[in-house]
Amino acid sequence: MTAAPTGAPTMRAILAGLACAVLCLAGLTGSASAAARSSEKFAKTLAPAERKVFEDYLSAKATHEFKSDAYWREVSDKKALRRGKRGRSETVIAADYVTTFPPKYAGPELPAALAKRWDAYQAEDEKDKTKEPPKPKPGITEFLSYAKAEYDFEPERVPEREFKLRYAREALSLGLTGDQVVRVYALETSGLGTADMVSGIHPIKKTGTPISTAIGYAQLLVANTTDELAKHGAKFLARLKAMSADRSLGPDRRRALADKHEKLAAMIKAARSVPHRWDQHVAFARTRRGMGIHAINLDGDIGPWLQVIKLYGLKEMADNAGMKALTGAEIELMNLAGPGTGLEMMRPAAKNAATTNFFARDAYFRNTIVREKSSAELLVALDKRMDDNLTNTGAIEFAEVFREANADVASGR
């Protein structure tokens, strides 16, 4: 091994630092050791001048990771401090939040040719490792297939405008406004969403692959669906039973509603077979039975009820916390960050706090809209994106549908 220049860190020291940085980031000793071994092997292939450049790069990266870890430790410490103060019924103040953003890497970059060789080396190194390829995310095909196999259920599909109208009527009956609902729709679906839209699939072109199980106008995950069904399923059953007894409906429609009632009852039983905790619903969501329940979002009777009651739950929680008349952006903030966290972000003490206080490290970097913003700035960004998407065809139609539904309410129909 060529000796390092006088005064420069040795390759072993650099790699040790890099390994420690990776360990802190990944939380896995194996990952850190593998990164160090890979770097050391690659360094041995380099000429002395290139090796010096590579060592300087690794050293700068390691230093950056140490600084980043220190920043996120402060975020974690502040979070624990706030949790303790709330437990003691003490007031949380602005100083209890981190107001700065994660440090940005400002060190040297590898020259283009060397960076290309390093990327190629890492790619080749990865080929030698036995890895199970990632499983594709489930989509509409799987939800429908599992619903049929597990519950003998096929959702009753209705035209898109009719689905929107039922959605609007349900929202208005629960005190949600058209502005609130349409703005959430505009952000969640880019103002183009269909009842069967799955995250990652373009709603019009139908191109892409699922990136999550989020579905519909409110983009509910499977765990959201089973959680809401466990909480409100009895109400849905009562409504289906009343509809099936309505003599103004034709016999075929009444029989279909009675059959839907029976199958939904089986789904509710399944959803309630796990403890009513979020982690349990997340685990259940990975099963065929959980994913089969998700198909109810597509049903013209159940889907609008389910998705609207999820939004209403956010409104109700805010009402109970003394935050009345939420804007669409404020409801979406509760959707994005989690209901309790979203409410916290809207309180005066947190309005200038960095969004890192409220999102896990990986989620912060994954969600481009939250990066390098305060809570107040994130609300502005959500509003801006909603404004931009309100001009798209689905949002325009949804707004028209709400005007029609409001007119029906005003006329007593």
Side-chain angles (χ1 to χ4, degrees):
M1 179 181 284
T2 305
T6 304
T10 66
M11 187 62 181
R12 185 173 297 279
I14 291 169
L15 293 173
L18 179 64
C20 186
V22 176
L23 173 60
C24 293
L25 182 63
L28 297 170
T29 304
S31 297
S33 300
R37 286 194 300 271
S38 182
S39 300
E40 189 166 12
K41 286 179 183 177
F42 179 70
K44 290 178 179 178
T45 70
L46 302 177
E50 287 183 319
R51 182 170 182 162
K52 173 64 169 61
V53 171
F54 186 61
E55 289 175 356
D56 289 345
Y57 168 75
L58 290 182
S59 180
K61 280 288 187 180
T63 300
H64 169 70
E65 291 300 341
F66 282 130
K67 290 179 180 178
S68 294
D69 291 337
Y71 173 86
W72 285 100
R73 278 195 297 274
E74 183 185 7
V75 169
S76 181
D77 290 345
K78 292 270 190 180
K79 190 175 293 185
L81 170 68
R82 297 194 301 274
R83 191 182 304 118
K85 292 183 78 168
R86 292 191 193 97
R88 298 187 297 271
S89 299
E90 297 175 12
T91 302
V92 173
I93 60 175
D96 297 329
Y97 294 94
V98 172
T99 56
T100 58
F101 300 110
K104 293 182 178 180
Y105 177 69
E109 296 289 354
L110 293 176
L114 183 56
K116 186 176 180 180
R117 286 165 59 194
W118 174 223
D119 289 343
Y121 183 89
Q122 292 178 93
E124 190 63 32
D125 197 40
E126 282 296 312
K127 285 183 184 178
D128 297 334
K129 298 171 185 173
T130 304
K131 275 188 175 182
E132 188 176 334
K135 294 181 180 178
K137 299 284 186 183
I140 292 295
T141 300
E142 287 76 18
F143 304 146
L144 293 174
S145 173
Y146 298 152
K148 181 66 176 173
E150 300 293 329
Y151 306 101
D152 194 27
F153 175 78
E154 295 181 52
E156 180 185 354
R157 311 292 286 273
V158 297
E160 200 65 39
R161 199 176 194 284
E162 175 63 21
F163 197 99
K164 283 189 173 76
L165 184 58
R166 295 183 187 188
Y167 201 107
R169 287 170 177 162
E170 186 70 14
L172 293 174
S173 74
L174 293 176
L176 290 162
T177 68
D179 185 68
Q180 289 171 325
V181 174
V182 177
R183 290 184 77 81
V184 169
Y185 166 87
L187 188 133
E188 289 285 352
T189 75
S190 298
L192 295 168
T194 53
D196 63 353
M197 175 182 170
V198 172
S199 181
I201 305 293
H202 193 283
I204 308 303
K205 299 175 183 176
K206 304 300 181 185
T207 54
T209 56
I211 59 174
S212 81
T213 61
I215 193 172
Y217 299 166
Q219 288 288 278
L220 268 62
L221 299 167
V222 173
N224 293 130
T225 294
T226 58
D227 178 58
E228 295 299 323
L229 195 59
K231 287 189 289 188
H232 304 290
K235 296 177 185 176
F236 294 170
L237 288 177
R239 291 174 73 170
L240 286 172
K241 187 173 182 179
M243 291 168 68
S244 67
D246 186 350
R247 296 286 179 178
S248 69
L249 300 176
D252 289 347
R253 170 68 168 149
R254 290 172 59 201
R255 277 194 296 271
L257 287 164
D259 181 65
K260 192 179 297 186
H261 174 281
E262 180 182 338
K263 289 168 182 176
L264 185 64
M267 292 181 179
I268 293 169
K269 183 178 180 180
R272 290 177 175 169
S273 69
V274 300
H276 195 207
R277 299 199 316 266
W278 180 248
D279 63 322
Q280 293 294 315
H281 281 287
V282 169
F284 184 58
R286 300 189 187 105
T287 68
R288 290 168 57 99
R289 295 174 74 211
M291 286 185 277
I293 292 175
H294 207 37
I296 62 176
N297 282 279
L298 306 174
D299 186 83
D301 292 312
I302 305 170
W305 304 347
L306 178 68
Q307 296 210 11
V308 168
I309 209 164
K310 173 66 167 63
L311 294 181
Y312 173 73
L314 301 178
K315 175 185 179 297
E316 187 177 41
M317 185 175 178
D319 286 348
N320 292 336
M323 295 184 182
K324 309 280 185 180
L326 294 184
T327 65
E330 288 169 336
I331 290 177
E332 181 55 36
L333 184 62
M334 293 176 70
N335 227 9
L336 178 66
T341 302
L343 285 176
E344 180 185 357
M345 293 175 76
M346 289 183 260
R347 297 195 180 279
K351 68 178 183 179
N352 293 319
T355 48
T356 49
N357 291 279
F358 312 105
F359 294 87
R361 186 170 180 171
D362 59 340
Y364 173 82
F365 288 108
R366 190 169 60 245
N367 288 283
T368 56
I369 197 168
V370 311
R371 292 183 210 157
E372 297 188 0
K373 293 181 180 69
S374 66
S375 297
E377 289 168 341
L378 177 56
L379 273 173
V380 171
L382 292 172
D383 254 330
K384 172 65 167 59
R385 187 169 294 184
M386 288 172 173
D387 287 339
D388 292 343
N389 292 341
L390 284 173
T391 60
N392 289 332
T393 54
I396 291 171
E397 181 182 62
F398 212 175
E400 290 172 351
V401 164
F402 262 97
R403 285 192 288 272
E404 179 183 329
N406 269 312
D408 288 345
V409 171
S411 66
R413 285 182 289 181

